[in-house]
Every structure is written in structure tokens, then in C-alpha cells.
Amino acid sequence: REARARHIAHANCHPFFVPAWIGMVVHMESAVAERRLSPKVFMQFKDATANALSAIGDSLFNGSMAVLWALPCACLVLERHYSAAAWLTLIMFLGLQVVRFAGFHLGLRRGMGLLTLLRNLNLIDWAERIKMANAVLAAFFLHLCLHGSPPVLQLGTALFLLVICRYF
């Protein structure tokens, strides 16, 4: 009953990190049950880790990996490589399931030690690197879209992008 009462409230965690967070929560809840951890400390941990995983997940998955899937698929579709786009989608989907399963397993086994592992993986820096690769892919996508259009339109689009990149 006490454990159930601790978990009634809403928690803000990125959907792709929820399995890892649940694994960590179950690990820590067992420490509370064995009286190795106080419920008050546990609740502070629970709220802080959910928010941290939400921020990492937003940057890594929504801001980087989703775009890394969408841009190559869009380029493949523009070039009429539909089966390659489908295969890429399947591979990315299966990779996500592996990440979710591994996250739950590692959270369950390591508890807060999973946070150390995530910090050592430097996911925020990886998200930034992926965003740079996405910029190159976006330029290639734009090239495919403008292929065959008048040079004035291509030049104008390139200048527009330079101005946007300068201010954003």
C-alpha cells in the first residue's frame, strides 16, 4: 500500500526512457522495502531521474534520432527507393525496441547506476553530433527537392537557409 501510494502521482519521463526509469524505480523500491533506502530519499530520486530522462530523451530521440530516420527516408522516397525506406524504418523501429528492453533490464539490475552509465555514454553530445549529420541530410534533401529547378531558385533557397541558420 505504501509503495502504491508513492506511485499514484504523474511523472514526467520521455516515452522511450520509461522502461529504463521503471526498471530503476523497481530496483529502488526493493531497497525501500529492505529498509536500505528511506521513502523520502526515494521520492526525490524518482522525480529527479524522471525529469533528467525526459530532457535527455527529448534531445536524443525527438530532436536527433527521429530526424535521422525521417530525412533519409524522405530522400529515399524522393528517389523512389520505397523498399529501402521501409527497411530503414523497420531497422530503426527494432533498434528502438532493443533500447527500450535494454533500458528496462539495466535499470532493474543497476538502479541509480544506470544514470552513471548514461552519463558516461554522453548522450547529449551524441545528440548534437547527430543534429550536425541531420543538417547535412537536410541539405541533401533540399538538393533533391530543387533538382531541375531554375538556378535563381536554388541560389535564393541557399541564401535563405544561410540567413535562417545565422539567426537560429
Side-chain angles (χ1 to χ4, degrees):
R1 288 184 182 160
E2 292 171 11
R4 184 175 51 216
R6 284 192 288 272
H7 300 291
I8 293 295
H10 169 75
N12 181 28
C13 188
H14 192 277
F16 298 156
F17 273 134
V18 166
W21 182 69
I22 289 173
M24 291 175 11
V25 166
V26 169
H27 179 90
M28 299 302 289
E29 193 63 62
S30 67
V32 171
E34 295 169 359
R35 305 215 190 287
R36 292 183 288 123
L37 183 67
S38 76
K40 183 178 178 180
V41 171
F42 170 73
M43 290 304 290
Q44 291 171 344
F45 156 81
K46 180 182 166 192
D47 293 338
T49 55
N51 291 331
L53 291 176
S54 180
I56 294 169
D58 285 344
S59 179
L60 181 65
F61 294 110
N62 294 2
S64 301
M65 294 301 292
V67 179
L68 186 64
W69 162 76
L71 282 172
C73 277
C75 291
L76 288 167
V77 167
L78 281 175
E79 291 295 305
R80 297 181 181 7
H81 298 296
Y82 304 116
S83 62
W87 278 106
L88 178 59
T89 297
L90 179 63
I91 290 167
M92 294 294 277
F93 175 76
L94 292 175
L96 176 60
Q97 302 316 308
V98 168
V99 166
R100 295 177 79 182
F101 178 78
F104 177 75
H105 180 71
L106 289 169
L108 192 59
R109 291 185 47 88
R110 293 187 177 198
M112 289 192 334
L114 178 59
L115 296 176
T116 303
L117 175 66
L118 292 176
R119 185 184 71 227
N120 291 340
L121 290 174
N122 212 359
L123 296 177
I124 295 296
D125 284 348
W126 277 105
E128 291 302 315
R129 291 179 186 121
I130 293 168
K131 288 175 185 175
M132 296 304 288
N134 287 339
V136 172
L137 286 167
F140 183 67
F141 175 76
L142 188 59
H143 166 73
L144 291 175
C145 289
L146 293 175
H147 184 72
S149 63
V152 172
L153 180 60
Q154 292 178 13
L155 180 62
T157 303
L159 290 174
F160 176 74
L161 287 175
L162 285 174
V163 169
I164 286 177
C165 289
R166 169 73 173 102
Y167 291 105
F168 294 103

